[in-house]
Every structure is written in C-alpha cells, then in structure tokens.
Amino acid sequence: MAKVCAVKKEVNKDGIKQEVCDETRAGLLPVLQEVQDKKGFISDKDMQEIADRFGIHPVEVYSVVTFYSFITDKKEGKYVIRISNCITNEMAGNKNIIDEFEKTLKIKVGQTTKDGKVTLKMTSCIGMCDEAPAVMVDDKLIGKVTPAKVKEIIKGLK
Amino acid sequence: MSSKPFSENTSRAPISQRGQHRDEYDKNTLGNQVKVVIDDVEIKVPMGCTILEAAQMVNIKIPTLCQHEDLDLAGVCRMCVVEVEGQRTLQSSCSYPIYAPLKVKTYSPKVRRARKNILQLLLRRHYGECYSCSRNNNCELQALAKEYGVGTYKFGHIAEPRYEKDLSSYSVERDMNKCVLCRRCVRTCIDLQEVGVLEAVGRGSETKIATYLDHPLAEVICINCGQCINRCPTGALKAKDPAEEIWAVIDDPDKHVIIQTAPSPRAAIGEEFGLPAGTSVTKKLNTALKRVGFDKVFDTNFTADLTIMEEGTELLLRLKKALVDKDKTVKLPQFTSCSPGWVKYIEHFYPDKLGHVSSCKSPQQMFGAIAKTWYAKKNNIDPSKIVSVSLMPCSAKKFECERPEMDDSGFKDVDYALTTREMAGMIKECGLDLPNLPDSDFDDPLGIGTGAALIFGATGGVMEAALRTAYEIVTGEEVPFKKLNITPVRGMEGIREAAIPIKKAVKDWKFLEGATLKVMIGHGTANAKKIMDMLCKGELSDYHFVEIMACPGGCLGGGGQPIPTSPAIREARARAIYAEDESLTYRKSHDNPIIKQIYKEFLTDGPCGHKSHELLHTHYTPRGKWIGKKK
Amino acid sequence: MMKKAKNKKIDRSGPVIFSSIEPWAGLNQALKLGRSELLDVVRDSNLRGRGGAGFPTGVKWNLAAVANDEEKYIVCNADEGEPGTFKDRVLLSELSRLFLEGMIISAFAIGAKKGFLYLRSEYKAFLPGLNKEFADLRKNNYLGENILGKKGFDFDIEIRLGSGAYVCGEETALIESLEGNRGEPRNRPPFPVNTGFNGHPTVVNNVETFTAVVHVVAKGANWFKKIGTEKSAGSKLLSISGDCAKPGVYEVAYGISINDVLKMVGAKDTKAVQVGGASGICLAKKDFKRKIGFEDLSTGGSVIIFNSKRKMLDVADNFLKFFEEESCGQCTPCREGIPVLIDAVDLIKSGKCDKAYLEDILSLAETMQLASKCGLGQSAPNALVAILENFKDEYKLSKKPREEKLFNV
C-alpha cells in the first residue's frame, strides 16, 4: 500500500513526545487538515506533493479533499463563518441572521468578500441546538446569535 | 473466480471489501461446509463464499451491476439485494460472506420492489441516448431494464445532459451523463491497473467520476489501456471510433487503403457475431475485410516477426556489450516495447528507466513504416495515396499512431487504428455474416506471419517468440521444448519467470556459453509496477529480458476487444491463439520467407543496422507523473 | 473530583452519567477484576451503545477480545452530527476525564494498545482542553506504558479530527476516514470487531457509552440494572431543543414517557416531537405516551419539539435536505432516492401530488429503508413517512394524475 511519510514527533507543552503523523495513508487526513489550517485550502501543487509522499495517486487526494466539507481545493477567506441550517436554527429564526450577514458583508452565502477576508457558508448541525441560532466563526462556536451580535462578530474579525 | 487473485495487495479497497477468491476460502475454512438455502434450493458452500457465488453455483440468477469478476467488491449499486432470514434490511448478495447457515430469498416481494425502484433511480440519472450509443444492445443497464420490465420513468428522467463529454484523448472518450456510478472504472484504474486516473469526486448526489482536478483525459496520466472501457456497464466510456473516416477513404477511388490485422482481434471478433469466446476466425475475417473494401489485407504477424528479429538482435547486442565489452552503461534487463499502454506507463512513472526499454517500434508501427516505403516502392504505389489502417485489440494503439515521432516513412506511418469492436461494426454495416463467410488468405507480400508472431497476442507470447529465435541464433539449436511450446512462460499468473540454460553456444556467441538466460513476464500495469519497483531496488540485476503487457491477459484482453471480459473469456482466447500457432507452417520468426526477403532486399545492413534504425526503431518521451505545469 | 459543570445555571444531575463517582474508581476496579471478569460485568449490565444504534456493549467488547489479532484498536466516536444532538458536547467539555477512563478500561478489556478519539471538526474548540487532559493523564501514568503499574498494559490515544461529514458518525465510515479514505461506509459483514481499522479488530463506541461504562464497572452490573427498565438498563442523556422553555442536556432513566419529557422542559402547545434526530421517529400527540427505551423509542439522545405553529412538511424538507447534503453518495437508493423525496415534498406542498405518485414515493421509501448500504440511507425516509402518516391535515393530494412534464429532472 502506501509509502512512508515524514513522521512528525511533536513535543507538547508538558514535554511529552507524541507521534503525530501516521506513516501510512491513515495519516492523509491530518496532513490535509494541517495544510487547510495553514494555507486556507489545498492547492494543486500541495495535492500532488502530498500524493507523492503517501505513494498514492493525485486523483485519490483530490477525491478525499472534495468529499469533506471542511477541506477545500479553492481558496477561502481568512475567516470562515458557518451558519447552521439545522431545523432548530430555522425555528429560532436564522433567516434573519443570514440576511444580516449577507447585508453587512455585502456577499451572498457561498461567497467570499472581495478583500478575501471572510467566507460565508451554510453548514449542517453544529451541536448548538439549545442555543439556536448558532454560527461557527473559524473554530469558535457562538450561540444565541442576534442581528446585533452579527455586527459585533464581523467587527471582531481583523 | 476459480483463479488465484490476479495481483495481491494492490487494492486500496478496505480490507472488508476485497473479493475473496475461492482458493482463499480453502485456506480460511475450518474444512467446514455451510448449509445455505437459496429460495428452496439447499446447497453446501465453503465458508466465506458470498451469497451471489452460492446462487451462481445452483444457477439461480441474481442481477448485478457494480460487481465484476476481475475487480474487488463494491456493493454500491444495490441491485443484487436479497432477503436474508432474520435480517430486517436487505443484504447485497455480492458482498455478503456466508459464515453460518442462512436462508435466502432472491425474489421476495420486497426484493422485487427494491430492484424495480433502484432501476428507476438509475434511469432517472442516466442520460441514455440508446439509439446513438456505442453500447446499444450490449449494455448492462438496458439488459436490466428489459429483464425487470421497466415501463415508464416512475421518478422522472433527466432531460438535458449534465456534463460535457471529454473527447480530448486519442483513445478513450468519456460521457459522464451515461455513468451510473458503479465505480468499476475506478476499481479498474486504481486497483487493477494501478494507474490512478479516475476516482469518485464530490459527495452525495453531486458525486461524479472525474480525473484529477477535472483535467481532460489527454492531460492526465492516462495510459490509454482502455481496461476501463471493457468493464464499464454502459456507454459512459468508449474508444474513439474512426470508422466514418475510414469509410471515406475506402470510398475514395484515389486512395489505396491497406489494413494490417493483429492476432488478438482474430481470436475474439467472433464474439461480436455470437460465436463462443475462443473461436478463431482468421480466414473468414480476411474475406470480410476484402468485401468491406480494403484494397489489401495484410498480417501484422509479419512485422511481429520483424520485431523479433530486431529486438532479439538488440538483446544479444546488449548482452555482448555488457559481458564482452564490459560496458557498464548498458541497461539490462531489456524491456519489451510493443505495448503502447506500457510504454506510456513507464514514460510517466519511471521515466529515468526508459533506457531499459527496447528501441524497437511495435509491430503496428513497423508495419506502417515498411508499408509506405518497401511495399509502396515494390508495387509502384505513390505512398502519399496509401492509407494505412490497423485492426488491433488495443485502444492505446490509437494514441501510438498519433505520436509525432511515428513518421519515419516520410508520412504518417499508420493513419488509423481500429479496434475489434469497431471493425465488427463496419462488417455488420455491410450485412456480412462473418461466421459463414468462405476462407481466404492474406495478400502478398506482407501476408506471411509465423506462429511465433501470432502468440504475441497472449501474455508471454513475445517472450516465447523471442526465445525461439534468440536461442537458436546463440546455440544453433531449437528451444528444448516439445513442439516449441515454451510452457514455463505461458499462463495467466501476474508475474512469471523462467531460466533458460545455454549449455552450448556457436562461435559468434561463445561468451554466452554456460550462462543462464533469466527472463520475466508481467501483464497488467499493477504487475508492471511491481516489476519496476524490483528494478529500482536492484533486484533484477541478473535478469536479461522482461516482457510487459499493459493489459491483463496480454493483448487478447486489450481495451479494444469485445465486451464483456472475464478471466474465462481471456483464457479461451489464449487457447485459440496457442492452437492457431501450432497449426501454422512457420513457427519461428527467422524462418519467415518474407523476413528473409526484406533483409536481403531492403534492410540490407541487417537487424539493428542503419536502415533498420531509421525505419524500425524509435525513441521515447520522459513525461513524468506531474499533472499540469510544475511551478 | 468531577469537574464543576461549566454552565453553572444548569444543574447537572442524573442517575448515572451525572452521578458522583470517585476519581478512577472505574479503572481501579477494572484492573482488580481482571479482563475476563471485567467483560462479564459489562455484559451482565446489559449496557447498550448510547450513540443511537444500541448494540450491546458487552457483546461488542467480547467479540473484539476473543478476536485473534495482536493489534486491536479502541475508537471513541465523538462525531456527534445528528441534528438536535449536543449531549456529547457537554461530555467533551465537562466530563472528558470520565470517557477517557472508559476508553482505558475498554483497552484493558480487549487488549488494545492504541486508541483514537474521533472528534468532529465543529468541536475543534474543545481541542486545547482535551489536549491538556491527555497531557495530565500521560504525566500520571494513566496513559502510556504499564498503566498504573500493570505490566504490559500499554495504551495511548490519538485525537483525530473529522472534517465535516455527518456520515463519518457511522462506525465503518469513521474507520474509513481514519484510514485516509472518503468516509464511505463499508459492506458489513465483516464487522469492525473483526475487521476494523487497517483490518484489525476495532471497538467503536460513543462518548456517552464510554462514560457510562465507568460507572457500570465501578458500581457493578446490578446497580446499573436497577436503573431504567427491564429491557433498557441505565439512563440516557437527552439533548432537548426546539419549542420549549428550557432546552439543554438532561439525564433521564430509561422508561420515561415523552409527556414527562415535555413537562420537564416546559414545552407547551406541542404538536410533534422528533426523537432521534433527522433519522429518528416523528411522533404526533397520540404517541406522546410512548417511552424512551430500546423496546420503544430508541434514540441517540436528540429530542426536538415542534409547537402547533410549525409546518411539518417544512420540517420533512429540512431533514431531507440535510441528508442530501450529508449522503456519501456511493449507493444508489440513498444518493438518487433522497432528491426524489425532496422533489416529492415540493410536489405535495404545492398540491400537485396525486395518490398514485404518493404510493410510488412510499414504495421508494421502503426500498431506501431496506436496500441502502448504511443507516443514513435507511433512515432518511423515516421522518417524511411518519409526517405523511401523522399529519394528513397539513397537505392535500391532487385528484388529477401527475403530468409527465413535471418529471423532467
């Protein structure tokens, strides 16, 4: 099957060594997640180099990248705002939140602002149904969002 | 199913989905036989046998779509679902291994409803243009629809094509509108062939089979082997068909249209006319082609013999350089070069090893060069008026004849490469009943081929042909095998080896006396990969000659052969080829009288001489596996 | 000591998960019992999986324990993605030590040396806290080699993030994701306990299951069986949301009725309750007397409450669109069937659906429920079928047969 990829040995805050990267294809997703984190997307060059490293074909990497919602092959904004479209959010009125985001950022859901700072997306249930309507701003979960809070959130994005 | 796994451990299918072959059951089993009741038929099966296999043992038909004998399991189409007693959900019989006694119903009301609904769903997505489809009347979706009595489109039908067709490649055309997402092409390209061009991309209802970044097929590392075409159940994949252009030149009185036919189509084209697999129709095909309108019908075997002369000499010269001149730059082992799929494979994946590949052109291309020079001159024909067509089992030959370097005759050496399927189509257009035509011979002068050339069509055939000649050149004696059948190099195992000791050698080749000629044969590019990896690790340093064919089974399993394909069909075609070899007058390439003539009259400086190099040898293009421009 | 609940407003109390327990009581007891007795305890307790499928945990652990393989794995399924489920969010942020203890116990039981915590990417914010917890555990010899001095008992856990795919909550799709593939469920049999991660025996359990098992081992099977009902031992974490006054995470003993649940969270004017998320059961008022438990309403914990103002066909539409987005796409009934159901909902809403087509749709729903390759496709039609059955007053069928041209896709 796959060939060796560089096994990273990370030392965490307490000085304990951890193996982070798997040597086989099982290490593919962590590598993709890392690249997505650092660069905001997986480029053509990165996909082919990752494929080479794992001894798999580029189309297999492309296939995995296009399967998962949080990994993209197209560049996204510096901040990614995900609005949950879970039924509880709809019931709590997330339409107002969507409208407010679209109005303030001057883009539609699925688009990125012209300065490349913010991408606005819908996403499935994020596990904040008791604090609906809820959004994710990068890794942060924010519940009980109101149109006023939307303005705050956007202001807070540097 | 009864054969050993074609190539082990190359599958990236999850372990639970890899097909279990019958031999493996016997290893796994505790010696037990499990009782299964299918409908009302009781049967005992080995442990690990799937429900589908058990049903097939007692001739109970269960429809399938994504399942294929050559490929690992998918279990995605769900057409083969059956009712298993004790389970709420229906189980896919192709992937359900039996480890305990079972009761199965293959056509209960739930199953019948499920099959019909699933078919309706497939037909909803499938943008069928049956009238104009190359698979009209040979399509698995059509067959299922007919069998399950589809009347109307219950859930609707797609009105407009969703995707643009990919017609970029010289060999393979893709129309994803007809794709039913059975994943056979993915499993073929990634698991069986290890080339890795096609995969499922996207998720859910947006899923489609695509290339890397949706590049056109011509721009990715497709080697044109066409194995995906052979296994596609619908018309989503097909070869590029030049029949219209060939009709045009046949109808043009100004053009001299010649055709060369390869051995594998002759052993298989009968299948397109209802004959059982493995019925050779060589002489009837000659008649058919003449009646279709080709001015001359020639035998590719002639240039296959020429290839043996050239390639055999090239090998001996390499050996001489290595052993006598102690030239360390000589690349051994030498690899065959007649499989254009294999050539493109090594150009992409192991470009630094191209020095090992024989510089000989393939028989098709040698023919093209000879036809527009020697043949044209001898018969006072203006070469610019010659249209050279080939009948090949191969889809990659279409790419090969378009290679820019293939113009040593001063013209495009081979103008068109036709597949077996396309030729059958042209013959049918004329209303000719191939199985019942009278026999006729090939035309002169490019119409004599030996049995050695004929067996090129089977994996191991090139090796055997080369040995029959090379051994005799070196030792002065025939190969020490009964009826010249070198059985150690035959068979369907993925990688085979043989060692031929050279006990006595004639004067010119004395340096080989006492040596053992070590050869290796591989078919299917997954095995090519294994062999190349061995080469890279230095494990082939004491081997001399390696034959590689891109297609499982060799050319007889090529991407242009009749559909469907299976291990049994390929074995039947192989038997036909070896039988025809035994029936021919000349069995060794160097005995071919026309070969002797062409070297006397035309290629006067002998094999690998100056003239030969001009016309019959070529160079390769290191392409690498990076897709697109490397920044 | 058990960490204080982060959200001080909600009083976390319950018969099992939120009950008090001495730190490491579970693991210590497990080591004292030894593997064989430990497996007996878990089996005798009748503990069943808390992620939604409800497979008997003891049976699962036993199968993995007897599997003939040196390499075995424990996977904690924290890919909580079912709409309306957020109970694991509470466990991950407030009770992480407990379910990690459960994983360690499980590793001891089956002989695994490596474990994975598959954390959904939406919960990435909990990663720092979890990492700190891991570091603590390693420092104090609860993870690593010779745990708590038991020679040969080596076990460590790696956190793997999901990447936004609900289908990866299915155990074989989760394993596929761990192996670096698309999250497409596998053919079963064989099952993960025999052929799991990289072909090795793998136990995949929900966060809540690992948390519960700590209490089971520490306090005994009999203690556990006294809670809940005869067929459903123990308790369930419910994440309740929607039209109610006090949404949140509650622990209830099995056997509680929906009516009691509604009372507990201050729900008024309830028309429908969705139990088990989008893939669960849609209940109308006549069913509110039914009880939570494996013998009646089996659930992963999601309870969504709808009042009389909600339009149920819109709810069905939302759920189906969720499944359409999250379907992996490999098998025909799910990939092709869900869009058909979505179009059908539109047709029904617009009054253009006739009785004959409705029957075709219900037949398709049955096929999807029976022939899909995994639970996603099998349960996708459930909500729609229940809503069409229970809320006939919210739609009207057309008397005219459907037009052919409505069906060009």
Coordinates of all heavy atoms in Angstrom, one line a residue, chain C residues 165-230:
Chain C
A165 N -18.3 15.8 7.9 CA -19.1 14.8 7.2 C -19.9 14.0 8.3 O -19.3 13.2 9.0 CB -18.2 13.8 6.4
Y166 N -21.2 14.2 8.3 CA -22.1 13.5 9.2 C -22.0 12.0 9.1 O -22.0 11.3 10.0 CB -23.5 14.0 9.0 CG -24.6 13.1 9.5 CD1 -25.0 13.1 10.8 CD2 -25.3 12.3 8.6 CE1 -26.0 12.4 11.3 CE2 -26.4 11.5 9.0 CZ -26.7 11.6 10.4 OH -27.8 10.8 10.8
V167 N -21.8 11.6 7.8 CA -21.8 10.1 7.6 C -20.6 9.5 8.3 O -20.7 8.3 8.6 CB -21.7 9.8 6.1 CG1 -20.4 10.2 5.5 CG2 -22.1 8.4 5.8
C168 N -19.6 10.2 8.7 CA -18.5 9.6 9.4 C -18.8 9.3 10.8 O -18.0 8.7 11.6 CB -17.3 10.6 9.4 SG -16.5 10.6 7.8
G169 N -20.1 9.5 11.2 CA -20.5 9.1 12.5 C -20.9 7.6 12.5 O -21.0 6.9 13.5
E170 N -21.0 7.1 11.3 CA -21.3 5.6 11.1 C -20.0 4.9 11.3 O -19.0 5.4 10.8 CB -21.8 5.4 9.7 CG -22.6 4.1 9.5 CD -21.7 2.9 9.2 OE1 -20.6 3.1 8.7 OE2 -22.2 1.8 9.4
E171 N -20.0 3.9 12.1 CA -18.7 3.4 12.5 C -17.7 2.9 11.4 O -16.5 3.2 11.5 CB -18.8 2.2 13.5 CG -19.5 1.0 13.0 CD -19.6 -0.1 14.1 OE1 -19.1 0.1 15.2 OE2 -20.1 -1.2 13.8
T172 N -18.2 2.3 10.4 CA -17.3 1.9 9.3 C -16.9 3.1 8.5 O -15.7 3.1 8.0 CB -17.9 0.8 8.4 OG1 -19.1 1.3 7.8 CG2 -18.2 -0.5 9.2
A173 N -17.7 4.1 8.3 CA -17.3 5.3 7.6 C -16.3 6.0 8.4 O -15.3 6.6 7.9 CB -18.5 6.2 7.3
L174 N -16.4 6.0 9.7 CA -15.5 6.6 10.6 C -14.1 5.9 10.4 O -13.1 6.6 10.3 CB -15.9 6.5 12.1 CG -15.3 7.3 13.1 CD1 -16.2 7.4 14.3 CD2 -13.9 6.8 13.6
I175 N -14.1 4.6 10.4 CA -12.8 3.9 10.2 C -12.2 4.2 8.9 O -11.0 4.4 8.7 CB -13.1 2.4 10.4 CG1 -13.5 2.1 11.9 CG2 -11.8 1.6 10.1 CD1 -13.8 0.7 12.1
E176 N -13.1 4.3 7.9 CA -12.6 4.7 6.5 C -11.9 6.0 6.6 O -10.8 6.3 6.0 CB -13.7 4.8 5.5 CG -14.2 3.4 5.0 CD -13.2 2.8 4.2 OE1 -12.9 3.2 3.1 OE2 -12.6 1.8 4.6
S177 N -12.5 7.0 7.3 CA -12.0 8.3 7.5 C -10.6 8.3 8.2 O -9.7 8.9 7.8 CB -13.0 9.2 8.2 OG -12.5 10.5 8.3
L178 N -10.5 7.4 9.2 CA -9.3 7.3 9.9 C -8.2 6.7 9.0 O -7.0 7.1 9.2 CB -9.4 6.3 11.1 CG -10.1 6.8 12.3 CD1 -10.3 5.7 13.4 CD2 -9.4 8.0 13.0
E179 N -8.6 5.9 8.0 CA -7.6 5.3 7.1 C -7.2 6.2 6.0 O -6.4 5.8 5.1 CB -8.1 4.0 6.6 CG -8.2 2.9 7.6 CD -8.6 1.5 7.0 OE1 -8.7 1.4 5.8 OE2 -8.9 0.6 7.8
G180 N -7.8 7.4 6.0 CA -7.4 8.4 4.9 C -8.2 8.3 3.7 O -7.8 8.7 2.6
N181 N -9.4 7.6 3.8 CA -10.2 7.5 2.6 C -11.4 8.4 2.7 O -11.6 9.1 3.7 CB -10.8 6.0 2.5 CG -9.7 5.0 2.3 OD1 -8.7 5.3 1.6 ND2 -9.8 3.9 3.0
R182 N -12.2 8.4 1.6 CA -13.5 9.1 1.7 C -14.3 8.3 2.8 O -14.2 7.1 3.0 CB -14.3 8.9 0.4 CG -13.6 9.7 -0.8 CD -14.1 9.1 -2.1 NE -15.5 9.4 -2.3 CZ -15.9 10.5 -2.9 NH1 -15.1 11.4 -3.2 NH2 -17.2 10.6 -3.1
G183 N -15.2 9.1 3.5 CA -16.0 8.4 4.5 C -17.1 7.7 4.0 O -18.3 8.0 4.3
E184 N -16.9 6.6 3.3 CA -17.9 5.8 2.7 C -18.1 4.5 3.5 O -17.1 3.8 3.6 CB -17.6 5.5 1.2 CG -17.6 6.7 0.3 CD -17.3 6.5 -1.1 OE1 -16.7 5.4 -1.4 OE2 -17.6 7.3 -2.0
P185 N -19.3 4.2 4.0 CA -19.4 3.0 4.8 C -19.1 1.8 4.1 O -19.1 1.7 2.8 CB -20.9 3.1 5.2 CG -21.3 4.5 5.1 CD -20.5 5.1 4.1
R186 N -18.7 0.8 4.8 CA -18.2 -0.5 4.2 C -19.4 -1.5 4.1 O -20.4 -1.3 4.8 CB -17.1 -1.1 5.0 CG -15.9 -0.2 5.2 CD -15.0 -0.9 6.2 NE -13.7 -0.3 6.2 CZ -12.7 -0.7 6.9 NH1 -12.8 -1.7 7.7 NH2 -11.5 -0.1 6.8
N187 N -19.1 -2.6 3.4 CA -20.0 -3.7 3.5 C -19.9 -4.3 4.8 O -18.8 -4.5 5.3 CB -19.7 -4.7 2.4 CG -19.9 -4.1 1.0 OD1 -20.9 -3.6 0.7 ND2 -18.9 -4.2 0.2
R188 N -21.0 -4.7 5.4 CA -21.0 -5.5 6.7 C -21.9 -6.7 6.5 O -23.0 -6.5 6.1 CB -21.5 -4.6 7.8 CG -20.5 -3.6 8.3 CD -21.2 -2.3 8.8 NE -21.8 -1.6 7.6 CZ -23.0 -1.1 7.6 NH1 -23.8 -1.1 8.6 NH2 -23.4 -0.5 6.5
P189 N -21.5 -7.9 6.8 CA -20.3 -8.3 7.5 C -19.1 -8.2 6.5 O -19.3 -8.1 5.3 CB -20.6 -9.8 7.8 CG -21.7 -10.2 6.9 CD -22.5 -9.0 6.6
P190 N -17.9 -8.2 6.9 CA -17.4 -8.4 8.3 C -17.6 -7.1 9.1 O -17.6 -6.0 8.5 CB -16.0 -8.8 8.2 CG -15.5 -8.3 6.9 CD -16.7 -8.2 6.0
F191 N -17.7 -7.2 10.4 CA -17.9 -6.1 11.3 C -16.5 -5.6 11.8 O -15.6 -6.3 11.9 CB -18.8 -6.4 12.4 CG -20.2 -6.7 11.9 CD1 -20.6 -8.0 11.6 CD2 -21.1 -5.7 11.7 CE1 -21.8 -8.3 11.1 CE2 -22.4 -6.0 11.2 CZ -22.7 -7.3 10.9
P192 N -16.5 -4.3 12.3 CA -15.3 -3.7 12.8 C -14.7 -4.6 14.0 O -13.5 -4.6 14.1 CB -15.7 -2.4 13.3 CG -16.8 -2.0 12.4 CD -17.6 -3.3 12.2
V193 N -15.5 -5.2 14.7 CA -14.9 -6.0 15.8 C -14.0 -7.1 15.3 O -13.1 -7.6 16.0 CB -15.9 -6.6 16.8 CG1 -16.5 -5.6 17.7 CG2 -17.0 -7.3 16.0
N194 N -14.2 -7.5 14.1 CA -13.2 -8.5 13.5 C -12.3 -7.8 12.5 O -11.1 -8.1 12.4 CB -14.0 -9.5 12.7 CG -14.7 -10.5 13.7 OD1 -14.0 -11.0 14.6 ND2 -16.0 -10.8 13.5
T195 N -12.9 -7.0 11.6 CA -12.1 -6.3 10.6 C -12.4 -4.8 10.7 O -13.3 -4.3 10.1 CB -12.5 -6.8 9.2 OG1 -12.5 -8.3 9.3 CG2 -11.5 -6.4 8.2
G196 N -11.5 -4.1 11.4 CA -11.8 -2.7 11.6 C -10.7 -1.8 11.0 O -10.4 -1.9 9.8
F197 N -10.1 -1.0 11.8 CA -9.0 -0.1 11.4 C -7.8 -0.9 10.8 O -7.2 -1.7 11.5 CB -8.6 0.8 12.5 CG -7.5 1.7 12.2 CD1 -7.7 2.8 11.4 CD2 -6.2 1.6 12.7 CE1 -6.7 3.7 11.0 CE2 -5.2 2.5 12.4 CZ -5.5 3.5 11.5
N198 N -7.5 -0.6 9.5 CA -6.5 -1.4 8.8 C -6.6 -2.9 8.9 O -5.7 -3.6 8.9 CB -5.1 -1.0 9.4 CG -4.6 0.3 8.9 OD1 -5.1 0.8 7.9 ND2 -3.6 0.9 9.5
G199 N -7.9 -3.3 9.0 CA -8.2 -4.7 9.1 C -8.1 -5.4 10.4 O -8.3 -6.6 10.6
H200 N -7.8 -4.6 11.5 CA -7.6 -5.2 12.8 C -8.9 -5.0 13.6 O -9.7 -4.1 13.4 CB -6.5 -4.5 13.5 CG -5.2 -4.6 12.8 ND1 -4.5 -5.8 12.8 CD2 -4.4 -3.7 12.1 CE1 -3.4 -5.7 12.1 NE2 -3.3 -4.4 11.7
P201 N -9.1 -5.9 14.6 CA -10.3 -5.7 15.5 C -10.4 -4.3 16.1 O -9.4 -3.9 16.7 CB -10.1 -6.8 16.5 CG -9.2 -7.8 15.9 CD -8.3 -7.0 15.0
T202 N -11.5 -3.7 16.0 CA -11.7 -2.4 16.5 C -13.0 -2.2 17.2 O -14.0 -2.6 16.6 CB -11.7 -1.4 15.3 OG1 -10.5 -1.6 14.5 CG2 -11.7 0.1 15.8
V203 N -13.0 -1.6 18.4 CA -14.2 -1.3 19.1 C -14.5 0.1 18.9 O -13.7 1.0 19.2 CB -14.1 -1.6 20.6 CG1 -15.1 -0.9 21.4 CG2 -14.2 -3.1 20.8
V204 N -15.7 0.4 18.3 CA -16.1 1.8 18.1 C -17.3 2.1 19.1 O -18.3 1.4 19.0 CB -16.5 2.1 16.7 CG1 -16.9 3.6 16.6 CG2 -15.4 1.8 15.7
N205 N -17.2 3.0 20.0 CA -18.3 3.3 20.9 C -18.4 4.8 21.0 O -17.5 5.6 20.8 CB -18.0 2.7 22.3 CG -18.5 1.3 22.5 OD1 -17.8 0.4 23.0 ND2 -19.8 1.1 22.1
N206 N -19.7 5.2 21.4 CA -20.0 6.6 21.6 C -19.4 7.1 22.8 O -19.1 6.4 23.8 CB -21.5 6.7 21.6 CG -22.0 8.1 21.7 OD1 -22.2 8.6 22.8 ND2 -22.0 8.8 20.6
V207 N -19.2 8.4 22.9 CA -18.6 9.1 24.1 C -19.4 8.7 25.3 O -18.9 8.4 26.4 CB -18.7 10.6 23.9 CG1 -18.1 11.3 25.1 CG2 -17.9 11.0 22.6
E208 N -20.8 8.8 25.2 CA -21.6 8.5 26.3 C -21.5 7.1 26.8 O -21.5 6.8 28.0 CB -23.1 8.8 26.0 CG -24.0 8.8 27.2 CD -25.5 9.0 26.8 OE1 -25.7 9.6 25.7 OE2 -26.4 8.6 27.5
T209 N -21.3 6.2 25.9 CA -21.2 4.8 26.2 C -19.9 4.6 27.1 O -19.9 3.9 28.1 CB -21.0 3.9 25.0 OG1 -22.1 4.2 24.1 CG2 -21.2 2.4 25.4
F210 N -18.8 5.2 26.7 CA -17.6 5.1 27.5 C -17.7 5.7 28.8 O -17.2 5.2 29.8 CB -16.4 5.8 26.7 CG -15.8 4.9 25.6 CD1 -15.7 5.4 24.3 CD2 -15.3 3.6 25.9 CE1 -15.2 4.6 23.3 CE2 -14.8 2.8 24.9 CZ -14.7 3.3 23.6
T211 N -18.5 6.8 28.9 CA -18.7 7.5 30.2 C -19.5 6.6 31.1 O -19.2 6.4 32.3 CB -19.4 8.8 30.0 OG1 -18.8 9.5 28.9 CG2 -19.3 9.7 31.2
A212 N -20.6 6.0 30.5 CA -21.5 5.1 31.3 C -20.7 3.9 31.8 O -20.9 3.5 33.0 CB -22.7 4.7 30.5
V213 N -19.9 3.4 31.0 CA -19.2 2.1 31.4 C -18.3 2.3 32.6 O -18.1 1.3 33.4 CB -18.4 1.5 30.2 CG1 -17.0 2.0 30.1 CG2 -18.5 0.0 30.2
V214 N -17.8 3.5 32.8 CA -17.0 3.7 34.0 C -17.9 3.5 35.3 O -17.4 2.8 36.2 CB -16.4 5.2 34.0 CG1 -15.7 5.4 35.3 CG2 -15.6 5.4 32.8
H215 N -19.1 4.1 35.2 CA -20.0 3.9 36.4 C -20.4 2.4 36.5 O -20.4 1.9 37.7 CB -21.2 4.8 36.2 CG -21.0 6.2 36.3 ND1 -21.1 6.9 37.5 CD2 -20.6 7.1 35.4 CE1 -20.8 8.2 37.3 NE2 -20.5 8.4 36.0
V216 N -20.6 1.8 35.4 CA -21.0 0.4 35.5 C -19.9 -0.5 36.2 O -20.2 -1.3 37.0 CB -21.3 -0.1 34.0 CG1 -21.4 -1.7 34.0 CG2 -22.5 0.5 33.5
V217 N -18.7 -0.2 35.7 CA -17.6 -1.1 36.3 C -17.4 -0.7 37.7 O -17.2 -1.6 38.6 CB -16.3 -0.8 35.4 CG1 -15.2 -1.5 36.1 CG2 -16.5 -1.4 34.0
A218 N -17.5 0.6 38.1 CA -17.2 1.0 39.4 C -18.3 0.5 40.4 O -18.0 0.1 41.5 CB -17.0 2.5 39.5
K219 N -19.5 0.6 39.9 CA -20.6 0.4 40.9 C -21.3 -1.0 40.7 O -22.2 -1.3 41.4 CB -21.6 1.5 40.8 CG -21.0 2.9 41.0 CD -21.9 4.0 40.7 CE -21.2 5.3 40.9 NZ -22.0 6.5 40.4
G220 N -21.0 -1.7 39.6 CA -21.5 -3.0 39.4 C -22.7 -3.1 38.5 O -23.4 -2.2 38.3
A221 N -22.8 -4.3 37.9 CA -23.9 -4.5 36.9 C -25.3 -4.5 37.6 O -26.2 -3.9 37.0 CB -23.7 -5.9 36.3
N222 N -25.4 -5.0 38.8 CA -26.7 -5.0 39.4 C -27.2 -3.6 39.7 O -28.4 -3.3 39.6 CB -26.7 -5.8 40.7 CG -26.6 -7.3 40.4 OD1 -27.1 -7.7 39.4 ND2 -25.9 -8.0 41.3
W223 N -26.3 -2.7 40.2 CA -26.6 -1.3 40.4 C -27.2 -0.7 39.2 O -28.2 0.0 39.2 CB -25.4 -0.6 40.9 CG -25.5 0.9 40.9 CD1 -26.1 1.7 41.8 CD2 -25.1 1.8 39.8 NE1 -26.0 3.0 41.4 CE2 -25.4 3.1 40.2 CE3 -24.4 1.6 38.6 CZ2 -25.2 4.2 39.4 CZ3 -24.2 2.7 37.8 CH2 -24.5 4.0 38.2
F224 N -26.5 -1.0 38.1 CA -26.9 -0.4 36.8 C -28.2 -0.9 36.3 O -29.1 -0.1 35.9 CB -25.8 -0.7 35.7 CG -26.0 0.0 34.4 CD1 -25.7 1.4 34.4 CD2 -26.4 -0.6 33.3 CE1 -25.8 2.1 33.2 CE2 -26.5 0.1 32.1 CZ -26.2 1.4 32.0
K225 N -28.5 -2.2 36.5 CA -29.7 -2.8 36.0 C -30.9 -2.2 36.8 O -32.1 -2.3 36.3 CB -29.7 -4.3 36.1 CG -28.9 -4.9 34.9 CD -29.1 -6.4 34.8 CE -28.3 -7.1 35.8 NZ -28.1 -8.5 35.4
K226 N -30.7 -1.8 38.0 CA -31.8 -1.3 38.8 C -32.4 0.0 38.2 O -33.5 0.4 38.5 CB -31.4 -1.0 40.3 CG -31.2 -2.3 41.1 CD -31.5 -2.0 42.6 CE -30.9 -3.1 43.4 NZ -29.4 -2.9 43.7
I227 N -31.6 0.7 37.4 CA -32.0 1.9 36.8 C -32.6 1.6 35.4 O -32.1 0.8 34.7 CB -30.8 2.9 36.7 CG1 -30.1 3.1 38.0 CG2 -31.2 4.3 36.1 CD1 -28.7 3.7 37.9
G228 N -33.6 2.4 35.1 CA -34.2 2.2 33.8 C -35.3 1.1 33.8 O -36.0 0.9 34.8
T229 N -35.4 0.4 32.7 CA -36.4 -0.7 32.6 C -35.8 -2.0 32.5 O -34.6 -2.1 32.4 CB -37.4 -0.5 31.4 OG1 -36.6 -0.7 30.2 CG2 -37.9 1.0 31.3
E230 N -36.6 -3.1 32.4 CA -36.0 -4.4 32.3 C -35.2 -4.6 31.0 O -34.2 -5.2 31.0 CB -37.2 -5.4 32.4 CG -36.7 -6.8 32.8 CD -37.7 -7.8 32.6 OE1 -38.8 -7.6 33.2 OE2 -37.5 -8.9 32.0

